[in-house]
Amino acid sequence: MDMQTSLLDRLFDSGLLIDTGVEGLYGRSGAFEDVIARFERLIDAFGGADGAEAMRFPPGMNRAHFETSGYMKSFPQLAGTVHSFCGGDADHMNLLQCMEVNGDWTKDQKATDIVLTPAACYPLYPTIAKRGRLPAKGGLYDLQSYCFRHEPSNDPARQQLFRMREYVCMGTQEHVTEFRQTWMDRGLEMMAKVGLDVTMDVANDPFFGRAGRMMANNQRDQNLKFELLIPVTSAAKPTACMSFNYHQDAFGAKWGLNLENGDVAHTACVGFGLERIALALFARHGMDIALWPADVRKTLGYQD
């Protein structure tokens, strides 16, 4: 039995995760959700005074905005679209007959105007673009959303539907890179407070295909993405639980995000993989929260 399966079995046996029969799609217990809620309050304690504008988008986004983002060009293997039955009575009869013989009833489904949100920040950029020019000081936004990535796995840290908490900063190059460095420092401090061993390393997104490999190399060469890695299912291959991304002016140019003086805005974001952080805590400290170290429990607001 590999370590991924072993941890997943322990999470199922303890009731922290609930098996749905689909790899990477799990229910969560109240205790698991409480850990996430408490960690989000820790995030608020570190970032709340920054004055970010909070927004919460649903786990589906406008398909036209998704297409504009370029996600399907770079990560087609991860994307999820929403399809529905759009037929009439005759089509419905055909559907029923197909299901009666266990046929492929999905073949006549039609794409809707909704796609599954791939990252919490994706609906933000067109939203801010609609407002017009950003103030000279730029903008700072606090986001949280369920996200979808099609990568089924028995690794509990690689879920298909998961929550991402993000802060997104828009402004000048100097402003957004300072924002990113601040959160890199905060991330290390936060994880130390909850007793997690971490490393920081340069990283790249999982771009698809031959051209994608070139994009990944460029991303690493320019230090555009860093990840905070924590052992979850493997000490040798720790899991990315936070990411720190500098997009240069790519999103600003794509979405028409301009500062008050007309300059194209640069953007950066910090992302927290909430399920992954909770899993790292359970993997490190055990399945029984009551037995976690006292300093970790205190940091998360548990009463002893």
Side-chain angles (χ1 to χ4, degrees), residues 24-232:
L25 184 68
Y26 309 118
R28 286 89 163 166
S29 71
F32 191 94
E33 290 296 287
D34 187 50
V35 168
I36 287 181
R38 290 172 183 273
F39 191 84
E40 286 210 78
R41 288 196 285 273
L42 182 62
I43 295 173
D44 293 336
F46 273 78
D50 295 344
E53 178 183 354
M55 297 186 196
R56 298 293 182 263
F57 293 99
M61 65 176 289
N62 184 319
R63 192 177 91 186
H65 293 162
F66 174 81
E67 291 167 353
T68 300
S69 75
Y71 188 89
M72 199 65 174
K73 296 178 181 179
S74 297
F75 314 106
Q77 77 281 16
L78 302 179
T81 54
V82 177
H83 288 63
S84 290
F85 173 76
C86 302
D89 288 344
D91 301 300
H92 184 222
M93 290 302 299
N94 290 334
L95 172 68
L96 295 177
Q97 291 169 6
C98 181
M99 296 185 72
E100 185 68 24
V101 297
N102 295 320
D104 179 13
W105 59 269
T106 65
K107 59 184 174 60
D108 294 322
Q109 298 275 296
K110 305 296 184 184
T112 69
D113 291 330
I114 298 173
V115 299
L116 298 176
T117 303
C121 61
Y122 270 61
L124 175 69
Y125 303 108
T127 299
I128 300 304
K130 283 169 56 178
R131 295 180 176 179
R133 290 189 176 186
L134 289 154
K137 64 178 182 179
L140 181 63
Y141 309 95
D142 171 359
L143 308 166
Q144 198 253 54
S145 176
Y146 261 99
C147 302
F148 174 84
R149 303 216 179 137
H150 180 245
E151 42 185 357
S153 169
N154 64 5
D155 179 355
R158 192 163 295 281
Q159 300 186 17
Q160 296 198 72
L161 276 165
F162 57 92
R163 277 160 295 184
M164 186 183 295
R165 177 76 179 268
E166 285 195 55
Y167 285 105
V168 178
C169 183
M170 303 180 184
T172 63
Q173 177 180 351
E174 294 75 17
H175 178 55
V176 304
T177 52
E178 180 182 356
F179 156 85
R180 185 176 73 155
Q181 184 59 56
T182 295
W183 272 107
M184 289 172 70
D185 297 338
R186 288 173 174 175
L188 293 170
E189 183 180 353
M190 291 173 70
M191 297 309 173
K193 282 182 173 292
V194 293
L196 295 177
D197 297 325
V198 304
T199 55
M200 188 81 71
D201 199 5
V202 66
N204 61 267
D205 290 309
F207 297 101
F208 187 79
R210 181 180 301 176
R213 289 191 288 274
M214 295 177 59
M215 295 173 70
N217 290 335
N218 290 337
Q219 192 179 32
R220 296 180 74 93
D221 290 345
Q222 297 180 70
N223 290 333
L224 299 181
K225 184 182 188 73
F226 286 89
E227 290 178 338
L228 192 150
L229 306 170
I230 307 176
V232 178

Side-chain angles (χ1 to χ4, degrees), residues 6-20 25-36 146 156 159 163 275 277-292 302:
S6 175
L7 177 60
L8 186 58
D9 286 341
R10 288 162 55 207
L11 291 161
F12 285 157
D13 291 344
S14 64
L16 289 165
L17 290 185
I18 302 164
D19 187 2
T20 69
L25 184 68
Y26 309 118
R28 286 89 163 166
S29 71
F32 191 94
E33 290 296 287
D34 187 50
V35 168
I36 287 181
Y146 261 99
Q159 300 186 17
R163 277 160 295 184
E275 277 80 8
I277 291 168
L279 290 167
L281 287 165
F282 285 112
R284 176 68 179 87
H285 302 309
M287 302 293 123
D288 189 345
I289 298 169
L291 300 180
W292 287 8
Y302 290 102

Side-chain angles (χ1 to χ4, degrees), residues 128 134-135 138-139 169-173 176 246-254 256-268:
I128 300 304
L134 289 154
C169 183
M170 303 180 184
T172 63
Q173 177 180 351
V176 304
Y246 171 42
H247 314 124
Q248 300 175 308
D249 64 356
F251 287 169
K254 184 183 297 288
L257 297 166
N258 295 93
L259 300 173
E260 196 172 72
N261 63 3
D263 289 349
V264 176
H266 287 235
T267 63

